[in-house]
Each structure stands twice: as C-alpha cells, then as structure tokens.
Amino acid sequence: MAAPGENLRINPDRLWGSIHELAEIGPGIAGGSNRQTLTDDDAKGRALFQKWCEAAGMSMGVDQMGTMFATRPGTDPNALPVYVGSHLDTQPTGGRYDGVLGVLAGLEVVRSMNDLGIKTKHPIVVTNWTNEEGARFAPAMMASGVFAGVHTLDYAYGRKDQEGKTFGDELKRIGWVGDEPVGQRKMHAYLEYHIEQGPILEAENKQIGVVTHGQGLWWLEFTLTGKEAHTGSTPMNMRVNAGLAMSRIIEMVQTVAMENQPGAVGGVGQVKFSPNSRNVLPGTVVFTIDIRSPDQAKLDGMRARIEAEAPKICAALGVGCAVEAVGHFDPVAFDPTLVKRVRNAAEKLGYSHMDIISGAGHDACWMNRITPSVMIMCPCVGGLSHNEAEEISKDWAGAGCDVLLHAVLETAEIVG
C-alpha cells in the first residue's frame, strides 16, 4: 500500500475535464459562468456533481441550507471525517474556476484514492457550500456561516434578492432543501483549495500558495435618501442629490483605505439608483462598501471612520443616510499544523510555493471557527477573478490538487 510520503499524483486531465464539463451548465456570455445560487442552473450543476460523487462510491447528504456532503467511508467508524470543499455557485459574470476548482479537486482526490486503492482511517467528505458568493443573496459564505453558528437558519431563509425572492423559497423551489439539521456534523479538519483571485503567485512565479491567514471583512450597505427631481430644470443649489453624496462617500472610502496602507483595501462594487432614469435625480441610492484587512485594528478603525464621516457628508447635502452591516468576519489565522502540512506537501512534490494571505473571504474562514482549517491556492492569470476572463492552467490546477491529495491523506491517515 502506498504511503503518504510517496510521490502520489492525481489525474490532471480528469480534473480539467470535469471543470469544463460543469462549465457547460450556466454558461456566461463571454466564456465564463453564470450559475448563481438557487437558480435552475445551480440545481443542474448540483445534480451533475451528485452523479459524479455517487459514481465514485460516495453517499450524498444534504442539510437544510442545501449544502451537499459527499462521504467516502473510513476504516474507523468512530473517527471524525476530514472535510474538503468549496462552492459551485458563481458570480453573474463569473469565471469557470472560482469555487468550482475546490469542489471538483476534492472529488478528484477521492477518485485518485479509488484508482490507487488507498484507504484512510478517517472518512473524507467533499462539500459544496450553498451561496458562498453572496451575489444574489447577501451575505457571502451564508451556508457555512449558518453551519458555524454565525447566522441563524431563519435569518438565512429570510434573505432577499433584488427581485424580493427569499432564500428559503428559492431553495425549496429548486428542490434542494435537505432534512439534515445545519451544523450537526463534527469535523476532524477542513481543507479548501481555491484560485488565488489575486496577482501575487503569478508575479512571484510560484505554483502553490500556502494560505496562513485570511483578511477580515465588513460589507456596509448604505441607503441614501434624496429627492427625485428633473435633472434639467432643477437648479444646482436646490437639489437634494443622493448620487452626489454617494460619490463623495466613495472618494472618502478611497482615502481611508489609502491612509491605512499597507494591508488594507476598500471600494464599492454594487450600486442601485432609484428610479434609475436618465433625466431624474435619484430619490434613493443603495450601495455596498467592501473594506478588508488582515489587521483587526485597521479593519475596525476603517469601519468606524467610514460610519462617522458618511453621515456628515450626507448632512451637508441634505441627504438622509442609513447603514446596515450585511457581511462581516474577523481576520483569520489558519491552523499551524495544517499550514505546515500543506507546505511540506508542496516541498515533497517539488512545487514552488510561498506563504500568502487570502484577500477574499472563503467558507474556510467560518470553518476555522469550529475545526482546524487551512487553504491552498493556485495562481490565476493576471490575478483576474469575478470576471468571465478568469483563467488558470491545467498544470496549476493539477499541482494544487496534488498538494491537496497529500495533505488530505496525511490528515485522514492512510491505513495499510
């Protein structure tokens, strides 16, 4: 029987083929993917993933958040499972690899173990977390957040998309409400493989990112209330312009982020004007500020300053201002033992690697609260993600999956 120290490898062609076969479900308009959570295409992608898992000899469980857990049994019925996963949902104009790579790499680990006849003491569970992206229903990482006790099930079920549809109703509509209570599963460890979504690994010519930490995040949703008025006939000094207030707040966010360099980012990615007509000043503007830092003090300070200065900007223009925190997690330090295990696997396999901090949020950030967790990253071209032009290479995908295989086998303990 093979030992974890031997030069075991996954099948990169099979992994690559699965990624692109899944991408045929919910295709984008420019080569990427639009498989937003709880859509019909999400349901189709789930069904294909379940078919593949069952063909690999795994049994499928689904919890009340629709999260999928595909289990490969271990030899010890009392040993807690090693979980591996990410998400299959995408942004509206997402790439083919964000999230999908981590789920299908977990499947490829199991397929390769089957090929090699490897048994482990601990079961291995490949997981597809529901609504990691938060594109349709905020906040992001919702199902893993409920699992970790950060959110309640009722809170998640009540979240609405921009059409007013609730998460709970849409989950039921697509037929993926499971019977299993959320969070009842116990874990030995959690490992997540993901594209970097940034330019560092490619720029440094490294194949593997050993993720030691994750940035903390606040999503602050602002609702500004002005006065709808004709853009042509309303004098400049008589306007109550919510759009102008938003622009000044965005400039302030840029200043706050720059004054907290290095190790801080801030910006606005979503804006909704109402009535959104060419010749009408907006009566209401809703937008979300995204601020992140691996430094807790910087993160807290940025939020406090933004929430203090935004109302002053609005008051000077006669604009109403309300803010709601719709997403948050503190900076994360991943498990040192698992981090070392990933680093050692990369070295053993001869892959170039470096320590890295995740700039994006991931399900592993919530799992780290309840079980030892770690992340592995591969480069992406130009650091581009959340974009249909997102790209990685088959070699990059395979290298990270090889590291994942070895880290999983060491954690799950090979038998024989």
Side-chain angles (χ1 to χ4, degrees):
M1 181 62 63
E6 294 187 20
N7 194 29
L8 306 176
R9 308 274 174 162
I10 58 94
N11 183 333
D13 294 327
R14 181 169 55 196
L15 171 61
W16 198 245
S18 296
I19 289 169
H20 292 288
E21 184 175 344
L22 183 62
E24 295 175 8
I25 299 172
I29 60 174
S33 294
N34 181 7
R35 200 170 47 253
Q36 295 178 66
T37 195
L38 309 190
T39 59
D40 292 343
D41 283 332
D42 182 21
K44 292 175 184 176
R46 289 164 171 267
L48 179 59
F49 174 60
Q50 179 170 359
K51 176 184 174 182
W52 284 339
C53 289
E54 291 174 347
M58 291 186 280
S59 59
M60 183 64 69
V62 182
D63 72 11
Q64 292 170 311
M65 280 294 291
T67 298
M68 303 171 68
F69 302 98
T71 301
R72 184 185 198 260
T75 60
D76 183 348
N78 297 315
L80 293 177
V82 173
Y83 282 70
V84 186
S86 194
H87 60 98
L88 295 179
D89 68 311
T90 76
Q91 292 284 331
T93 53
R96 294 183 168 213
Y97 311 99
D98 175 2
V100 175
L101 175 64
V103 178
L104 298 187
L107 173 60
E108 177 55 35
V109 165
V110 170
R111 286 170 164 173
S112 295
M113 290 172 62
N114 291 345
D115 293 345
L116 298 165
I118 295 175
K119 295 180 180 180
T120 56
K121 172 183 175 181
H122 295 263
I124 294 171
V125 180
V126 182
T127 306
N128 168 36
W129 298 103
T130 301
N131 191 42
E132 190 274 351
E133 289 291 0
R136 185 180 177 198
F137 299 98
M141 300 130 59
M142 188 189 290
S144 56
V146 176
F147 192 100
V150 178
H151 312 302
T152 67
L153 185 63
D154 287 344
Y155 168 83
Y157 276 9
R159 303 305 292 171
K160 294 181 179 180
D161 66 9
Q162 291 194 7
E163 297 179 357
K165 297 176 180 177
T166 68
F167 179 95
D169 286 347
E170 286 295 276
L171 182 61
K172 183 177 180 180
R173 183 189 66 81
I174 68 167
W176 279 92
V177 182
D179 296 329
E180 184 179 308
V182 182
Q184 73 171 8
R185 291 169 172 260
K186 304 302 179 185
M187 300 181 177
H188 180 59
Y190 178 78
L191 298 90
E192 182 167 343
Y193 177 34
H194 210 279
I195 65 172
E196 180 194 349
Q197 300 184 280
I200 297 172
L201 292 175
E202 185 186 35
E204 296 293 332
N205 197 28
K206 303 295 185 183
Q207 296 163 289
I208 303 296
V210 182
V211 185
T212 60
H213 296 77
Q215 291 195 115
L217 167 150
W218 280 104
W219 281 356
L220 306 175
E221 184 178 272
F222 280 79
T223 301
L224 307 187
T225 306
K227 185 177 181 179
E228 294 176 19
H230 196 294
T231 56
S233 57
T234 306
M236 297 298 289
N237 66 339
M238 298 179 69
R239 300 182 177 202
V240 184
N241 192 343
L244 176 60
M246 180 199 70
S247 68
R248 290 182 178 175
I249 291 172
I250 292 174
E251 183 65 30
M252 177 266 291
V253 170
Q254 173 75 9
T255 299
V256 169
M258 291 303 296
E259 290 180 358
N260 279 277
Q261 295 303 301
V265 295
V268 173
Q270 184 180 62
V271 177
K272 184 178 180 181
F273 271 44
S274 178
N276 200 31
S277 179
R278 290 182 180 86
N279 61 344
V280 182
L281 295 172
T284 305
V285 178
V286 180
F287 61 100
T288 303
I289 293 172
D290 182 327
I291 53 173
R292 308 185 190 212
S293 176
D295 183 310
Q296 185 75 59
K298 283 187 178 182
L299 185 67
D300 293 342
M302 287 167 59
R303 181 195 179 188
R305 183 172 165 190
I306 289 167
E307 290 188 342
E309 293 190 16
K312 297 176 184 177
I313 291 170
C314 291
L317 298 170
V319 172
C321 179
V323 60
E324 178 187 2
V326 295
H328 169 66
F329 51 85
D330 288 334
V332 173
F334 288 114
D335 181 74
T337 299
L338 290 176
V339 167
K340 183 177 180 181
R341 199 165 285 168
V342 168
R343 190 182 295 116
N344 290 344
E347 291 178 358
K348 177 173 60 182
L349 292 164
Y351 292 132
S352 58
H353 62 88
M354 64 179 289
D355 289 356
I356 193 168
I357 295 172
S358 175
H362 301 283
D363 296 304
C365 296
W366 289 144
M367 290 302 99
N368 196 60
R369 294 166 64 107
I370 60 174
T371 193
S373 300
V374 73
M375 291 192 70
I376 303 163
M377 287 184 171
C378 77
C380 55
V381 175
L384 194 63
S385 185
H386 286 187
N387 187 309
E388 291 199 60
E390 172 186 280
E391 190 60 70
I392 67 174
S393 72
K394 182 172 70 173
D395 289 344
W396 287 346
C401 194
D402 283 340
V403 172
L404 178 66
L405 171 66
H406 282 255
V408 167
L409 291 180
E410 186 173 354
T411 305
E413 301 178 44
I414 287 181
V415 175

